Amino acid sequence: MNSSITNSPEETAALGEAWAEEVAPGWTIALCGDLGMGKTQLVKGLARGLGITARIASPTFALVNEHTAGRVSLFHLDLYRLDTRAQIAGAGLDEYFFTPRGVTVVEWAERWWDEVQRSRFSVQSPGGRLRWVKFTSEGETQRRIEYEDFGS
Ligand SMILES: Nc1ncnc2c1ncn2[C@@H]1O[C@H](COP(=O)(O)OP(=O)(O)O)[C@@H](O)[C@H]1O
Ligand SMILES: [Mg+2]
């Protein structure tokens, strides 16, 4: 388990930007934590690190935003409005998980993988990796960001 504390939105973005150096197609980054924890901030940094210049906003209504102009394509999903796995699969969103087409980052990933499913989980696809990330608040401008990697 990797754990860090950030003290500002920019520090959270910088963490995402650093991750851009190691991500590869086939990765899915699952972001868990309440509203306002900094999930979208982290995605902004990740996109910046991948050379994506488009504005990053939670795809709350679109469900998925595709950014294909960077070094690696980034698929940004937000499951907040979807309550069940059937709704998520019905919207075709599970097709983005571990896709060889790029990196998928998922806000409200706990809507798809609960703790039990996550603990039994192994990534099957070649090159696939799940980065399981948990955000918690340690104060108004402090966030604890913990992650664990599963798969190749
Ligand atoms: N250390 C921090 N990291 C990230 N965001 C922070 C931090 N401290 C304060 N904030 C604020 O928390 C909010 C995070 O918003 P956002 O990234 O949209 O969260 P989420 O996508 O998790 O709902 C922003 O208003 C940001 O300014
Ligand atoms: Mg968000």
Side-chain angles (χ1 to χ4, degrees):
M1 177 77 79
N2 189 302
S3 180
S4 41
I5 300 266
T6 65
N7 293 293
S8 67
E10 183 45 44
E11 279 185 31
T12 296
L15 183 67
E17 188 169 8
W19 289 2
E21 300 297 316
E22 52 174 328
V23 298
W27 281 46
T28 288
I29 302 176
L31 307 181
C32 305
D34 284 340
L35 277 176
M37 284 300 109
K39 299 181 294 296
T40 302
Q41 276 299 322
L42 187 127
V43 179
K44 284 182 183 173
L46 178 65
R48 188 165 75 203
L50 292 172
I52 294 160
T53 54
R55 197 176 73 89
I56 301 296
S58 278
T60 306
F61 295 100
L63 301 177
V64 55
N65 289 338
E66 303 202 6
H67 303 285
T68 55
R71 189 166 55 73
V72 176
S73 290
L74 181 69
F75 307 111
H76 181 192
L77 280 64
D78 189 329
L79 306 181
Y80 181 63
R81 277 168 201 281
L82 301 174
D83 291 324
T84 66
R85 285 189 135 220
Q87 285 175 358
I88 293 164
L93 296 178
D94 57 322
E95 288 171 22
Y96 287 92
F97 303 150
F98 314 109
T99 176
R101 294 197 296 131
V103 173
T104 297
V105 64
V106 187
E107 298 194 38
W108 290 92
E110 57 270 61
R111 293 274 199 266
W112 181 258
W113 293 284
D114 66 22
E115 289 287 337
V116 176
Q117 283 154 346
R118 216 277 301 119
S119 66
R120 293 195 197 121
F121 178 85
S122 72
V123 179
Q124 304 295 344
S125 54
R129 185 184 293 201
L130 177 66
R131 175 160 292 182
W132 184 259
V133 191
K134 270 194 199 165
F135 290 71
T136 46
S137 177
E138 300 263 311
E140 203 169 316
T141 61
Q142 283 198 328
R143 302 288 185 268
R144 180 179 296 279
I145 302 171
E146 299 172 296
Y147 75 83
E148 209 173 338
D149 286 342
F150 301 86
S152 54

